[in-house]
Amino acid sequence: MDFVVGHGVPLVALLVFITELGVPTGIPFEVALLLAGATAVHSPEGLVTAVAIVALADLAGTTTLFLLGRSGGRGWGARVLCRLGAMEAIERWRGRVGRSAPKDVAIVAGGRLLPLARMPFTAAVGLLRMPTPHFLVGATPGAILWAGTPLFLGYVLRQRVNTVIDPIERVHRLGIFVVPAIVAVVVITLVVRGLRRPRNTAVDPCGLL
């Protein structure tokens, strides 16, 4: 992590941008943000600036993923998410709460706060052609929260930041093996159920793409 300490907030912002695109980096971005907050932020004003930079990087990355989904909705990504039922679930949710701008914003704000589901959720709402302004407004609170919390903790803890980093790194090392196994089981289960379930085009957004 020495390169994070040496390059500070700009490098961490780039890392967050790449991570939000769904590209694995092998570095928990929470750890990078904690280190940046502890070593590269030296004042309350600097903290506000750092949060703004990283939040913008987060928002840029997730918006790029959203727009890729929105422009490529007829490709393999749509078929995968349709088969997994992700798009159908979100479409039903939107159907229940309505499709107004405030409700779309609330849906995105909630979905972007879910750990492990943020990127699939972003791709799904893109494939469902949610209006871009609705997505941008809804994604902003999550970007600020995910950027601001670790930076603030690092800034406050300083030399004690390792008390938070060590447990995160242990969980991350465990997750390298556990999370893919869980995801594989869930995906296989959903695919099998999807193959057995008759397609209902009245509620299935797959038939609308």
Side-chain angles (χ1 to χ4, degrees):
M1 289 295 180
D2 290 342
F3 66 95
V4 173
V5 176
H7 294 84
V9 174
L11 179 63
V12 173
L14 178 61
L15 174 67
V16 169
F17 175 79
I18 294 172
T19 301
E20 287 299 334
L21 290 176
V23 179
T25 61
I27 303 172
F29 78 87
E30 297 90 350
V31 171
L33 288 170
L34 284 164
L35 284 172
T39 61
V41 179
H42 306 292
S43 67
E45 295 79 9
L47 177 62
V48 172
T49 301
V51 171
I53 291 172
V54 177
L56 285 173
D58 182 289
L59 192 60
T62 191
T63 301
T64 301
L65 181 62
F66 167 81
L67 293 175
L68 288 172
R70 205 172 189 279
S71 63
R74 297 180 186 275
W76 64 269
R79 292 194 294 272
V80 170
L81 288 174
C82 284
R83 183 60 66 185
L84 295 180
M87 293 171 65
E88 181 178 345
I90 295 173
E91 186 69 4
R92 284 179 173 173
W93 188 11
R94 291 181 75 196
R96 284 197 296 268
V97 303
R99 295 173 180 270
S100 65
K103 292 175 180 177
D104 273 357
V105 168
I107 288 172
V108 174
R112 287 292 300 165
L113 292 176
L114 298 174
L116 302 180
R118 300 173 75 220
M119 285 178 286
F121 172 85
T122 298
V125 294
L127 292 167
L128 287 171
R129 308 294 203 278
M130 179 179 284
T132 302
H134 298 185
F135 177 81
L136 285 172
V137 175
T140 299
I144 295 172
L145 179 66
W146 285 100
T149 302
L151 282 169
F152 176 77
L153 287 175
Y155 175 73
V156 170
L157 291 173
R158 294 296 183 185
Q159 290 84 1
R160 296 172 293 155
V161 72
N162 284 331
T163 61
V164 178
I165 289 177
D166 291 342
I168 292 176
E169 289 187 327
R170 285 196 293 270
V171 171
H172 177 70
R173 286 193 292 268
L174 180 63
I176 291 175
F177 302 100
V178 174
V179 172
I182 294 174
V183 170
V185 171
V186 171
V187 168
I188 292 171
T189 301
L190 290 174
V191 169
V192 170
R193 288 181 178 178
L195 291 173
R196 293 177 177 176
R197 182 179 58 194
R199 181 70 55 83
N200 183 355
T201 56
V203 297
D204 186 0
C206 301
L208 303 177
L209 295 174

